[in-house]
Amino acid sequence: MRVRNPIPGVVYVPQADADFYVREGVLAEQTLIAAFRESFVRNADRVALADVDGVTTYREFDIRSDQGAAALWRLGLRPLDRVLFQVRNSRALIEAFFACLKIGVIPVCTLAAHREAEIGYIGRHTEAKAHFVHGDDPRFDMIAFARKMRGELPAVEQSWSSAAKAPAMRRHSRGWPRRKIRNTPGSWSKPSSSTPGRLRSFQLSGGTSGIPKIIPRFNNEYRYSMQTVIDFIPLDRDVVAFTPNPLMHNAPTLCIWGPALLAGGEVAVATGPRLADIEAALATRRPTWILMAKVHQLRLYESGALNRLSFDNVLGFPVPEALWSSPRMLGANCYPIYGMTEGILAFCRPGDPPEAIASTVGRSSSPYDQIRIVTPETETDLPAGEVGELLLKGPCSLRGYYNAPERNAEIITSDGYYRSGDLMSFKSIDGTPYRLFHGRVKDVVDRGGEKVNCSEVELAIRAASKGGRRGLRRYARPSLRRAHVRLRPAPRRRPRTWTWQTSPNTWPLWA
């Protein structure tokens, strides 16, 4: 398995490693979309996607994504072109993602909350040719934003909106093009550039800097990751998968809707980000495999929604946080999950010892993951049981961020392992090694699944105190040692950021 015409800036699995994984049957000679097409045929009359407004069968889903693929082809997109995805969860989002898969276009996964700095950097760095947004956000005009960014990103030629009733966008702009084109020419259906080892999507790193780093993920390893989840948990065609987390994120893709669609199951989708939308999806579709951030669990609990919902049919909730409160709140089985977009997945599963479920983050879903625990920021292995930095290498692990040679020299060891920055140890339970998470080598705050490096906050406060922000300059003091930062609504709906010192002489800093 060799990659024809490798993309500059993309770091591929070394050929010797790729050949080994192929011989072992780990990385198959099959593209991701080819595997999904087999599922479409096997499960043609079963429900693939569902929300409170209706359902889409596998046959209908295949046809709709074909129409979208034909539209993208007629609009000039070709294999390996990049499209910025900045869309809230919806059936249209998944259709658009599969339309890209079918013609070899590379989705670039961003966040709906990203603005000029992030989209500008990501768009330029990936040389994106199109920008896909949702057009029905009452709090922010995504269509106007896409129009603005199209003027600032030289390669972006088109922008689309997923909202049927969104105002028309001007030059080079359209609604989601599936509505425009109904005929599906066959010339795009199996582009010659679509090979198992070719780039499949650009994901974003969890973030240890202000602008996220870009992670290339590939056809065969993405398909393998999804299959390991199906086999490890296990999942089958009766699964109903759901997450309110951004569907374009790596964890929802690899752990929720990707495995569900490969197995022939159903993917339930919330029609919006509000708590009522999440509760409606849970109540109407009754999912059995649910990934929810702790913030969603707490909001459902505080609103009383958990008293109105029943999870007696649920196989489990994979939860990334500590388990002490989730099972009690949800009244359902919860299993720890640990992973990173850089390429490792670990779970506990039904049947694991209670001690492992309660105190660890599980074990790898792939038996081919190679794990080392070393003294942080070195390559010195530590004795079994000691806490150190997790290094990893495997069929799905990162071999380098996109077009970032200096950063790659820091995070890839001399023998090809990725430095995770996570502090871990191993614990043997009933003869099986499980992982314990002890924090980060560097200070990182997890805010609803979005990672914020503490040094970035400190730098922002320091810059503001030197005159960058009028309010902070007025109050800045050299004795400031600790600060809190949060957003606060202000008159005329203008967001304000304020910080305050946590010392006996507390005083606010306004920005």
Side-chain angles (χ1 to χ4, degrees), residues 329-366:
M329 278 197 308
L330 299 169
N333 293 322
C334 296
Y335 302 101
I337 176 177
Y338 168 84
M340 59 188 72
T341 312
E342 285 82 355
I344 188 174
L345 291 174
F347 299 89
C348 282
R349 60 183 176 183
D352 277 350
E355 180 185 359
I357 294 172
S359 64
T360 78
V361 293
R363 49 202 167 101
S364 288
S365 59
S366 170

Side-chain angles (χ1 to χ4, degrees), residues 2 27 38 148 151 165 174 223 245 320 384 396 448 480 484:
R2 296 183 181 274
L27 299 182
E38 292 179 358
K148 177 182 178 181
K165 298 181 180 180
R174 303 165 174 84
R223 189 252 182 275
N245 300 358
C396 305
L480 180 63
H484 293 275

Side-chain angles (χ1 to χ4, degrees), residues 396-426:
C396 305
S397 66
L398 178 75
R399 305 306 172 114
Y401 294 113
Y402 174 64
N403 202 19
E406 293 182 1
R407 179 59 178 154
N408 292 340
E410 298 173 357
I411 54 91
I412 302 298
T413 66
S414 59
D415 51 355
Y417 281 75
Y418 168 71
R419 295 186 181 277
S420 71
D422 286 347
L423 294 173
M424 306 282 282
S425 67
F426 279 102

